[in-house]
Amino acid sequence: MAHARDGFPAYRGEMEYVCQGCGSRFPAAELYYTCPGCGGVFLLEDTRFAELTKTSGQTWREIFDSRAASKHSALQGIFRFYELVAPILEPGDIVSPGEGQTPVVRANSDLEERVGRPLAFKNEGQNPSASFKDRGMACAFSYLKSVLRQKQWDRLLTVCASTGDTSASAAMYAAYVGHPVTSVVLLPQGKVTPQQLAQPLGSGARVLELPGVFDDCMKVVEYLADNCPVALLNSKNSWRILGQETYAFEVAQWSDWETGDKAVFVPVGNAGNISAIMAGFLKLHRLGIISELPQIFGVQSCHADPVYRYYSSPPGERRYEPVSVRSSAAQAAMIGDPVSFPRVRSLAERYQALAGESAFQVVQVTEQEIVEGMLQANRHGHIACTQGGESLAGLLRAAREGAVSREKTAVLNATAHSLKFQSFQQMYFEDSFPPEYEIQPRQELINRPRQVRGVDATPGAEREAFVSGAAAEIMELLGLSGD
Ligand SMILES: *Cc1c(COP(=O)(O)O)cnc(C)c1O
Ligand SMILES: [Zn+2]
């Protein structure tokens, strides 16, 4: 592959939006959100992609491995994989404040023994806004910057609805790009965690809270998109999907490009992420960068499981129906009518055609399993959020059902940082989950702070008396003896 003199790739693609409903195509130079013809969602396609197949898989592997050491500021983060992401961007368009390149952390032997196989968490919580959403936002904002450059607009309002992490990410990226971009986020009131609410506020976004659940906010955002000049950043925005494909590229790279022995677990909410991950592996396969596709498992809570329900019927009898969600600790995935469902359907079909029916599956887990998955992971040194716990619960379920073979190494998507979702840990430890969650804490997993009083530390009391009193109390608690 040719590189320009400054080290930035010379290759430029030709991108088009491809409607997953009616197949219509539209040029990428315009800002499209959904198909003007049928309202369907898009996937973006590089119509010159065949050019890339002229470079061997081996050469691509070497290019991407050598870029891991590149200091080029436009080849950082998700743009290490520039040619596979959005090769219409110029170096000056690229917005990459530190997303991607997240660690894959192999579980310790105790956790692997409990689970019964090798497994690793990929810590998407180590992205800058502490979730995987940053991958998609890096691509979407870079594209917006290229549009701003070409159209010379002097104002651009970005809008999204969110279960918490999309808005945190959108607000952070908008703040980083700065003028002329401003950010508005719509949140379902009381349905995002305090940490997730704090993030867009801290980034300076306009934060609007609406009654209802995420699906209601989404409808309002779509109305705004249809009637006002705003740029939408929900996962219907197909530029976000492209950025999120890099998760698959990094899993493959971590595996030294051997993915046939991997099983990848992904929590499914709006289904953008699982679409992107399938699309990403398919791209690597087409370029010969990997020779075998990994198994992919979507995981859904029984409180928000429309994709599971669809795939649990036999192929001839499948019908997609939105569900009404019930409260879920995997709150970021608590979505009853996933906008990316048509993407999942078409990508899963391609995936299964290449790698067999069992290569893509969806499993369902309980709320109890989700929270305990998180607690178990973190007791073994991980930083999983509730959705990361859902990934582990999904692996345990798939293993019980014999859906994943014992030889596979499981790669679990820990989609956000545990601290964003610590309120669910707290509800478990304090046994304060509202009944609709159907979660009964088990004593052995509960951990709570214990007050040490020492002697009465009122003013005038001797400090030494306090220290020796507190130490005596602690020694007794811990069964330590003095000598
Ligand atoms: C958005 C989100 C999900 C769900 O991803 P989708 O692409 O909507 O399926 C899962 N976990 C976390 C932490 C998220 O922020
Ligand atoms: Zn269409």
Side-chain angles (χ1 to χ4, degrees), residues 131-133 163 165 267-273 332-333 335 385 387 415-416 421:
S131 86
F132 75 82
K133 298 294 200 299
T163 54
D165 292 331
V268 177
N270 233 348
N273 210 26
I335 293 171
C385 61
Q387 295 71 217
T415 47
F421 293 86

Side-chain angles (χ1 to χ4, degrees), residues 241-252:
I241 302 292
L242 283 177
Q244 289 173 203
E245 288 178 15
T246 59
Y247 180 89
F249 307 158
E250 291 179 17
V251 168

Side-chain angles (χ1 to χ4, degrees), residues 23 79 94 164 207 220 240 287 340 394 400 427:
F79 294 100
I94 283 174
V207 177
V220 176
R240 282 189 48 203
L287 292 174
S340 284
R400 272 206 304 283
M427 283 197 273

Side-chain angles (χ1 to χ4, degrees), residues 44-72:
L44 281 150
E45 195 180 295
D46 177 2
T47 57
R48 297 186 59 213
F49 194 81
E51 283 289 307
L52 300 178
T53 62
K54 293 179 186 159
T55 299
S56 73
Q58 179 56 30
T59 303
W60 279 121
R61 292 193 286 269
E62 285 163 11
I63 289 172
F64 294 137
D65 284 344
S66 71
R67 283 209 195 133
S70 170
K71 306 287 187 298
H72 198 301

